């Protein structure tokens, strides 16, 4: 697959900005997509947040395969990492963030107290690759539609803290990270989620990758969605053919209109047509934590 590098200038700038901001906070909240926590993390992050504690927020948990999500949480836990599964859109578990963050930073605050320092608010920075829900979470925490929701990588404003309550403050501008696009599977997963533009990776590769996941893990949902039967020996193209015939993307003489089939399949993956899914499992070792 062609290598994609559409973040070059952005990477250096982000790194610098986060390094600056990290000095002003007690903890970093890294948002990842609960359907693909490895693919939506930034493996380089730990190298530039140094010793600042991190809480991994597995966002969009409402869209994720619950069983696999639990396995991910266990894996992160085994690695000594802190996680919380949330749904920033509806606000599920968002009220637990402050308590968990306080707990993680407990030692630092106790130390400050023992040195006679006044109690103060915990300060946090939200980071994550585009589209994981950073703005949605900030809005949810702030409890008003103050931050524009939408995909706006590269937008920077003057650094400001938002006061959530007397014990909790948030840097108002999230750190926008870049994903690890050197890894083909990561790039395909991100394209499936709609994080990477369709023009960057051939759509048929993305759809073939997605069909593979659906066939191996969510066969029944797939069959039900298109009212068809999946045979073990079916190749992705066989399945595109079956979808095409079911969905009227087939004409006598011209055959299957693959472009249409692929578009509708990708639309379905991105709009939860197969229920709660995981694009990767804990056994996918293509991404190092
Ligand atoms: P970003 O700042 O990290 O780039 O992400 P942003 O908050 O803009 O969210 C990207 C998309 O993900 C938005 O959808 C947002 O509503 C959705 N989203 C965020 N958190 C959750 C969640 O926990 N569950 C679900 N299901 N969706 C979530 P959009 O369609 O781009 O915008 P909108 O139509 O919701 O405004």
């Amino acid at each position: 697959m062609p290598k994609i590098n559409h973040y070059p200038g952005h990477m250096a700038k982000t790194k610098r900005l986060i390094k600056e901001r990290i000095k002003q906070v007690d903890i970093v909240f890294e948002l990842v997509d609960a359907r693909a926590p490895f693919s939506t993390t930034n493996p380089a992050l730990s190298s530039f947040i140094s010793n600042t504690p991190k809480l991994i927020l597995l966002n969009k948990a409402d869209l994720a395969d619950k069983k696999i999500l639990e396995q991910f949480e266990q894996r992160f836990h085994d690695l000594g990492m802190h996680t919380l599964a949330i749904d920033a859109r509806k606000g599920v578990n968002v009220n637990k963030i402050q308590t968990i963050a306080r707990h993680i930073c407990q030692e630092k605050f106790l130390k400050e107290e023992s040195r006679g320092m006044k109690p103060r608010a915990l300060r946090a920075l939200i980071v994550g690759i585009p589209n994981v829900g950073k703005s949605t979470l900030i809005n949810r925490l702030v409890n008003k539609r103050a931050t524009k929701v939408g995909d706006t990588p590269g937008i920077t404003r003057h650094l400001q803290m938002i006061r959530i309550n007397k014990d909790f403050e948030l840097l108002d501008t999230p750190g926008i990270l870049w994903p690890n696009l050197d890894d083909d599977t990561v790039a395909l997963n991100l394209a499936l989620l709609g994080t990477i533009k369709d023009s960057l990776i051939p759509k048929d590769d993305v759809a073939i990758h997605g069909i593979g996941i659906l066939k191996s893990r969510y066969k029944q949902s797939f069959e039900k969605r298109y009212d068809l039967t999946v045979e073990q020996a079916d190749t992705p193209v066989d399945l595109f053919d079956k979808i095409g015939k079911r969905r009227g993307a087939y004409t006598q003489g011209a055959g299957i209109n693959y472009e249409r089939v692929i578009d509708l399949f990708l639309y379905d993956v991105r709009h939860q047509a197969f229920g709660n899914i995981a694009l990767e499992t804990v056994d996918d070792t293509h991404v190092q934590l």
Side-chain angles (χ1 to χ4, degrees), residues 111-130:
K111 221 182 238 171
E112 288 186 4
E113 214 178 288
S114 71
R115 285 190 196 138
M117 286 168 73
K118 269 203 255 157
R120 63 171 179 89
L122 175 133
R123 290 194 290 262
L125 166 68
I126 290 179
V127 300
I129 67 166

Side-chain angles (χ1 to χ4, degrees):
M1 235 168 52
K3 290 285 170 234
I4 316 152
N5 190 3
H6 60 296
Y7 293 91
H10 182 61
M11 272 160 61
K13 196 170 150 204
T14 300
K15 214 166 163 171
R16 199 184 61 239
L17 281 173
I18 292 181
K19 274 185 170 170
E20 269 167 35
R21 284 171 203 179
I22 213 74
K23 295 177 203 143
Q24 303 177 36
V25 299
D26 302 298
I27 189 164
V28 171
F29 300 148
E30 186 190 9
L31 255 78
V32 296
D33 191 306
R35 293 167 293 178
F38 287 155
S39 295
T40 55
T41 190
N42 178 310
L45 179 65
S46 52
S47 71
F48 54 92
I49 65 169
S50 55
N51 291 330
T52 311
K54 180 173 84 169
L55 171 61
I56 299 169
L57 296 173
L58 299 145
N59 191 35
K60 309 198 187 183
D62 55 307
L63 307 178
D65 180 322
K66 302 279 176 274
K67 207 170 124 209
I68 293 178
L69 181 55
E70 274 170 26
Q71 292 167 356
F72 270 113
E73 291 190 272
Q74 187 60 49
R75 171 63 62 90
F76 283 117
H77 182 78
D78 293 346
L79 291 166
M81 295 167 151
H82 308 281
T83 65
L84 177 67
I86 62 167
D87 167 356
R89 187 130 80 175
K90 293 219 177 75
V92 179
N93 277 350
V94 168
N95 60 350
K96 294 186 183 157
I97 295 175
Q98 181 176 347
T99 315
I100 295 176
R102 266 275 161 191
H103 185 74
I104 295 170
C105 300
Q106 199 177 22
E107 223 172 284
K108 181 178 180 184
F109 280 85
L110 285 175
K111 221 182 238 171
E112 288 186 4
E113 214 178 288
S114 71
R115 285 190 196 138
M117 286 168 73
K118 269 203 255 157
R120 63 171 179 89
L122 175 133
R123 290 194 290 262
L125 166 68
I126 290 179
V127 300
I129 67 166
N131 211 38
V132 284
K134 298 178 293 299
S135 310
T136 308
L137 177 63
I138 292 177
N139 285 337
R140 177 58 65 180
L141 285 166
V142 173
N143 216 7
K144 63 177 192 274
R145 299 248 146 210
T147 314
K148 194 181 166 291
V149 177
D151 187 8
T152 53
I155 289 190
T156 50
R157 283 168 289 148
H158 189 65
L159 282 192
Q160 250 183 350
M161 287 283 177
I162 314 174
R163 173 165 278 237
I164 310 295
N165 56 50
K166 72 175 181 33
D167 297 322
F168 189 22
E169 287 173 5
L170 204 61
L171 261 179
D172 77 336
T173 315
I176 301 162
L177 303 174
W178 61 94
N180 176 24
L181 295 179
D182 293 339
D183 184 307
D184 287 350
T185 312
V186 170
L188 289 166
N189 283 339
L190 293 172
L192 265 183
L193 291 174
T195 305
I196 301 181
K197 286 196 205 96
D198 277 341
S199 54
L200 289 172
I201 305 189
K203 264 196 298 191
D204 41 356
D205 286 345
V206 180
I208 288 170
H209 177 66
I211 284 263
I213 293 171
L214 268 297
K215 187 185 168 202
S216 67
R217 280 203 289 277
Y218 307 104
K219 185 166 150 255
Q220 279 182 349
S221 311
F222 182 85
E223 289 179 330
K224 197 166 158 222
R225 173 70 184 171
Y226 301 120
D227 189 22
L228 50 78
T229 308
V230 177
E231 306 297 341
Q232 197 44 42
D234 280 344
T235 63
V237 176
D238 294 334
L239 295 174
F240 290 149
D241 289 346
K242 288 185 181 180
I243 298 173
K245 283 179 185 152
R246 278 286 178 213
R247 288 302 177 92
Y250 171 77
T251 38
Q252 201 74 39
I256 298 289
N257 181 341
Y258 289 107
E259 174 98 25
R260 253 184 75 195
V261 171
I262 285 171
D263 281 345
L264 84 87
F265 172 68
L266 291 179
Y267 181 90
D268 280 351
V269 173
R270 291 167 190 163
H271 292 83
Q272 225 198 341
F274 308 104
N276 285 28
I277 60 170
L279 299 188
E280 59 193 7
T281 70
V282 283
D283 299 322
D284 292 333
T285 50
H286 57 275
V287 181
Q288 296 294 314
L289 277 174

